[in-house]
Amino acid sequence: QKEVEQNSGPLSVPEGAIASLNCTYSDRGSQSFFWYRQYSGKSPELIMFIYSNGDKEDGRFTAQLNKASQYVSLLIRDSQPSDSATYLCAVASYNQGGKLIFGQGTELSVKP
Amino acid sequence: GAVVSQHPSRVICKSGTSVKIECRSLDFQATTMFWYRQFPKQSLMLMATSNEGSKATYEQGVEKDKFLINHASLTLSTLTVTSAHPEDSSFYICSARDSVDTEAFFGQGTRLTVV
């Protein structure tokens, strides 16, 4: 089992819709959870991080964490074509020195 | 957000030569830096973790004699790909953070092509 798993997609949604990206992780000791966006040929940029169970909202983005289910998600409301990118879920655990372990990424395509 | 500068952004080298990639944190002290490699259509694979003043910790399967990492100061880490081969061609990305509780920021990445 991979440490961090995501659906590779591609996930296609129409402009204005809600895009839902999911991620599961295997290390129950994980403490920090991050969502990065990566455009083709570029390095990842941080969208959001979440440490506690529940929801965390920032503009059009909402991260949801459920540690009991070892599940973290990212919702993008009012999706725009500029949101088309690969979204990477990353998990950090103090047990592993805090290193970031990435999922394989989900490719999102927002159609005008 | 914090700024991490990585150079060069793109490099082409001949097989058998060595290439050095620099990663600098410009506005914070990077206690820890991470080096990743990413092949096309794949995710970031962690190569090694380096803490300032300590030897780097390499992930399983990564040759430490081939990928030399130096983290001599709180703002600079370097990755040297020694005796590069075409299969080392990849996108190398560094990230840095100031503490284990904070998010890591990424450099712009280095596209290495070995010919």
Side-chain angles (χ1 to χ4, degrees):
Chain A
Q1 180 190 8
K2 292 182 181 177
E3 291 187 71
V4 181
E5 293 204 58
Q6 298 178 249
N7 290 326
S8 59
L11 173 66
S12 183
V13 300
E15 184 175 358
I18 295 176
S20 177
L21 304 160
N22 304 314
C23 175
T24 58
Y25 58 95
S26 61
D27 183 0
R28 282 198 171 274
S30 300
Q31 285 100 0
S32 309
F33 307 87
F34 305 85
W35 282 100
Y36 287 86
R37 176 174 60 196
Q38 186 177 28
Y39 293 108
S40 181
K42 303 294 184 182
S43 68
E45 54 180 328
L46 181 68
I47 298 175
M48 290 189 72
F49 60 89
I50 185 168
Y51 301 139
S52 304
N53 275 328
D55 296 358
K56 180 181 179 182
E57 187 175 319
D58 184 1
R60 295 187 295 113
F61 299 96
T62 299
Q64 299 173 316
L65 174 62
N66 184 325
K67 290 188 178 181
S69 301
Q70 295 174 244
Y71 173 88
V72 58
S73 67
L74 179 70
L75 299 177
I76 307 174
R77 289 181 298 282
D78 188 23
S79 296
Q80 302 297 308
S82 58
D83 294 327
S84 298
T86 296
Y87 289 80
L88 299 164
C89 170
V91 174
S93 167
Y94 294 135
N95 295 339
Q96 299 192 52
K99 61 185 180 182
L100 274 178
I101 304 298
F102 282 83
Q104 66 269 43
T106 298
E107 184 182 347
L108 172 66
S109 176
V110 181
K111 303 294 187 184
Chain B
V3 178
V4 176
S5 178
Q6 185 176 341
H7 292 281
S9 59
R10 191 177 294 269
V11 59
I12 301 173
C13 72
K14 290 186 177 180
S15 186
T17 62
S18 296
V19 174
K20 180 184 284 189
I21 302 170
E22 288 190 351
C23 182
R24 293 181 185 271
S25 58
L26 299 185
D27 54 1
F28 68 99
Q29 293 186 327
T31 307
T32 305
M33 286 191 175
F34 303 94
W35 286 96
Y36 294 86
R37 180 168 54 182
Q38 186 177 36
F39 293 106
K41 299 292 185 182
Q42 295 186 24
S43 188
L44 281 73
M45 296 302 298
L46 181 64
M47 299 175 67
T49 302
S50 74
N51 293 297
E52 185 265 338
S54 303
K55 288 185 178 180
T57 301
Y58 289 81
E59 294 300 300
Q60 192 173 9
V62 178
E63 299 174 59
K64 60 182 178 182
D65 294 331
K66 179 171 181 61
F67 299 100
L68 301 178
I69 292 172
N70 183 281
H71 191 169
S73 78
L74 283 171
T75 58
L76 174 65
S77 176
T78 60
L79 167 66
T80 301
V81 183
T82 63
S83 187
H85 291 283
E87 56 265 31
D88 298 324
S89 299
S90 187
F91 191 47
Y92 291 86
I93 312 172
C94 72
S95 73
R97 68 173 185 215
D98 60 5
S99 74
V100 71
D101 302 276
T102 60
E103 63 267 32
F105 295 92
F106 282 83
Q108 304 94 318
T110 298
R111 177 76 58 193
L112 170 64
T113 303
V114 185
V115 297

